[in-house]
Amino acid sequence: MLLTYQFKLNPTPEQVVIIETWGELLRRHWNYALGERLDWLRRTRSQIDRCSLVSEPIGRIPDKPDYYTQASNLKETKELFPDYKNIYADCQQQNLIRLDKAWKRWLIPDKKGKRGGKPRFKKRGDISSFTFPRVNSPKAGAHLIGNTLKLSNIGEIEVILHRPIPEGFEIKQATILSKADGWYCSFSLEDKTVPELLPIDEIKTATGIDVGLEKFLTTADGESIEVPQYYRKAQSTLARQQRKLARKINGSKNYKKQAKKVAITHLHVARQRKEFHYQVAHWLVNSYDLIVFENLNIRGLARTRLAKSILDVAWGAFLQTMEAVAVRRGKHTVGVDPRGTSINCSSCAERVEKTLAKREHSCSCGLVIDRDWNSALNLLKRGSVGLPTPVCGGLDSSQPVKQKVSYVNLSVGRYIACN
């Protein structure tokens, strides 16, 4: 299993100039390599036995470019443009590997028949990262010794190790990247101590989670977590900063300073959201052996009028984080079809039609509970079919009383249940 640890760097002004120069040269090489591929695709768009209604190629059609042909041309690139000799060779190859992966995602569909977007030409400053694929090996371009990162042709850079790298982890690669508040290095660590998944017959606790916009999620135990709304709370600050940016002359020093302030505000919101996701994920994995969630079409939901709120809670990023944390702990996660979970009664399975505005589930069998809680119970039942798991939730359907949801407050490093 690969883990990523990210640390802040403290480069000198001279090293910053070198790093930014590398990024600009790699951006130009990306654009040239992408142009080669698009030119070949345009020239071969028609079959040899018919003519195109749009255009016809003139001159000799070049051979099909791929990673191997473009990587073999790096030697010629360095002869024509000597500046590329200063860039570590592995970084240039990794730049072409990124392009090759993006190209294949666009042309070759995955198992579900979906394809990625068309690779784009990069504007100045778009490529703000490059990768050293080998670290601490004899022929590596990056060596981490204590809190010093030695990079080929760049020099020694101080690394702010805010947490130690665990013993027994092997550093596979290092990526230098730029953010709004400085330069960082992401180390990919191989963890060979990942525990095996908990055997099915040893699952003792299970729950279903229903995500939403009124409550971030509700478990089958009736516990809910409030939506933090980090972006909504930062909107007034962002609006003020962006108004100041609109008054600056584009390209001036004041414009760049103000643009950095806007970027730092966005970065702060993203970090708040990520920290919140990890807190919730660890709380769930510590509490349950099996977590059942709903497979939502988040991309489709993000096209509705609730797009801002949906993107603010970032369900997709949270589910990916939760699954990664569960694998690291040896716990189980199951995604199920969410259709009908909020309509069907979790007690008698009767269909109870309700609008989105109605937040309470009231069935003829006497069950009156929160709508999201009812959905979480249905998700748990669907995900635990065929598994010897206990029915969790603490809901006694024999007592037709109104059940209320209890909220969970996530404090720093602690999880306190509040009734």
Side-chain angles (χ1 to χ4, degrees):
M1 180 179 178
L2 289 178
L3 300 177
T4 301
Y5 276 38
Q6 190 173 100
F7 303 99
K8 192 167 186 178
L9 300 177
N10 189 19
T12 63
E14 294 78 10
Q15 291 172 336
V16 170
V17 172
I18 296 175
I19 294 173
E20 291 178 347
T21 303
W22 281 28
E24 174 61 19
L25 292 175
L26 291 174
R27 179 191 72 88
R28 296 177 183 179
H29 191 234
W30 167 288
N31 289 344
Y32 179 80
L34 177 59
E36 277 188 334
R37 292 173 179 253
L38 293 175
D39 182 63
W40 173 84
L41 188 65
R42 179 181 59 81
R43 285 172 168 266
T44 59
R45 64 192 309 171
S46 298
Q47 300 180 14
I48 59 175
D49 60 342
R50 63 201 67 185
C51 295
S52 171
L53 296 176
V54 180
S55 63
E56 285 297 324
I58 299 176
R60 187 182 71 85
I61 298 178
D63 297 332
K64 181 180 179 180
D66 55 16
Y67 165 72
Y68 299 101
T69 59
Q70 292 183 329
S72 63
N73 293 332
L74 286 175
K75 183 177 181 180
E76 182 181 356
T77 301
K78 294 179 181 180
E79 293 177 354
L80 295 174
F81 305 97
D83 290 341
Y84 284 90
K85 294 181 181 180
N86 299 325
I87 302 179
Y88 191 64
D90 285 356
C91 297
Q92 299 181 56
Q93 294 172 2
Q94 288 295 313
N95 192 40
L96 292 176
I97 289 175
R98 288 184 183 181
L99 174 60
D100 190 62
K101 290 180 179 179
W103 183 264
K104 290 179 179 178
R105 282 197 301 267
W106 176 44
L107 294 180
I108 303 175
D110 58 10
K111 295 180 180 179
K112 297 182 180 180
K114 297 182 179 180
R115 300 189 303 175
K118 180 181 177 181
R120 298 181 180 181
F121 291 103
K122 304 291 186 180
K123 297 186 293 184
R124 189 177 184 86
D126 280 357
I127 293 184
S128 56
S129 66
F130 49 87
T131 300
F132 291 87
R134 294 175 290 181
V135 182
N136 291 345
S137 61
K139 296 183 179 180
H143 296 268
L144 180 64
I145 304 173
N147 65 338
T148 301
L149 179 63
K150 185 177 181 180
L151 302 177
S152 176
N153 298 335
I154 295 179
E156 297 182 352
I157 304 178
E158 179 188 1
V159 183
I160 302 176
L161 295 174
H162 61 275
R163 57 176 174 173
I165 296 178
E167 296 182 2
F169 282 46
E170 181 182 357
I171 304 178
K172 305 300 289 185
Q173 66 180 23
T175 300
I176 311 299
L177 67 153
S178 171
K179 291 190 176 182
D181 60 345
W183 292 91
Y184 289 80
C185 182
S186 294
F187 294 105
S188 294
L189 310 176
E190 184 178 12
D191 182 12
K192 299 181 180 179
T193 62
V194 178
E196 296 182 357
L197 285 176
L198 187 71
I200 299 297
D201 54 356
E202 295 184 10
I203 295 178
K204 297 180 180 180
T205 55
T207 190
I209 57 172
D210 177 76
V211 295
L213 298 179
E214 184 181 0
K215 296 181 285 290
F216 181 73
L217 65 81
T218 303
T219 68
D221 288 328
E223 295 179 323
S224 291
I225 296 176
E226 295 181 354
V227 177
Q229 292 185 336
Y230 293 118
Y231 181 78
R232 293 279 187 181
K233 293 177 182 178
Q235 269 189 306
S236 59
T237 302
L238 275 171
R240 184 170 60 254
Q241 297 290 351
Q242 288 170 339
R243 281 196 299 269
K244 292 181 179 179
L245 179 64
R247 299 189 186 105
K248 308 297 182 183
I249 299 175
N250 195 353
S252 64
K253 290 185 178 180
N254 288 335
Y255 182 91
K256 293 178 181 179
K257 289 180 182 179
Q258 187 60 34
K260 186 175 181 179
K261 292 181 181 179
V262 174
I264 288 177
T265 305
H266 280 290
L267 182 62
H268 178 66
V269 172
R271 285 173 173 170
Q272 283 182 307
R273 187 185 296 117
K274 184 176 181 180
E275 175 66 17
F276 171 73
H277 287 170
Y278 269 100
Q279 286 188 357
V280 177
H282 280 285
W283 171 70
L284 287 172
V285 173
N286 289 337
S287 304
Y288 304 100
D289 297 331
L290 170 65
I291 304 171
V292 183
F293 60 91
E294 46 190 343
N295 286 324
L296 295 172
N297 181 15
I298 301 175
R299 183 173 295 182
L301 293 172
R303 297 192 184 100
T304 64
R305 61 181 181 179
L306 298 174
K308 184 181 292 187
S309 299
I310 292 172
L311 295 175
D312 191 12
V313 294
W315 295 326
F318 165 71
L319 294 177
Q320 288 181 355
T321 300
M322 184 189 67
E323 289 182 286
V325 172
V327 170
R328 186 68 182 86
R329 302 288 185 86
K331 301 298 182 68
H332 294 266
T333 57
V334 179
V336 298
D337 187 358
R339 285 181 292 185
T341 54
S342 61
I343 297 178
N344 299 332
C345 181
S346 58
S347 177
C348 63
E350 182 181 350
R351 189 176 179 87
V352 181
E353 298 288 347
K354 59 179 79 73
T355 62
L356 288 175
K358 189 175 181 180
R359 308 309 303 173
E360 186 179 83
H361 173 82
S362 178
C363 184
S364 59
C365 67
L367 180 65
V368 181
I369 60 173
D370 182 79
R371 174 197 183 110
D372 298 331
W373 189 0
N374 177 73
S375 179
L377 288 168
N378 284 326
L379 289 170
L380 176 58
K381 290 180 180 180
R382 289 189 184 183
S384 60
V385 172
L387 299 178
T389 57
V391 177
C392 302
L395 181 63
D396 187 1
S397 60
S398 63
Q399 298 180 1
V401 296
K402 192 170 184 178
Q403 304 280 349
K404 292 185 178 180
V405 173
S406 62
Y407 281 87
V408 176
N409 289 339
L410 300 179
S411 60
V412 179
R414 296 181 300 173
Y415 308 100
I416 304 174
C418 302
N419 293 324

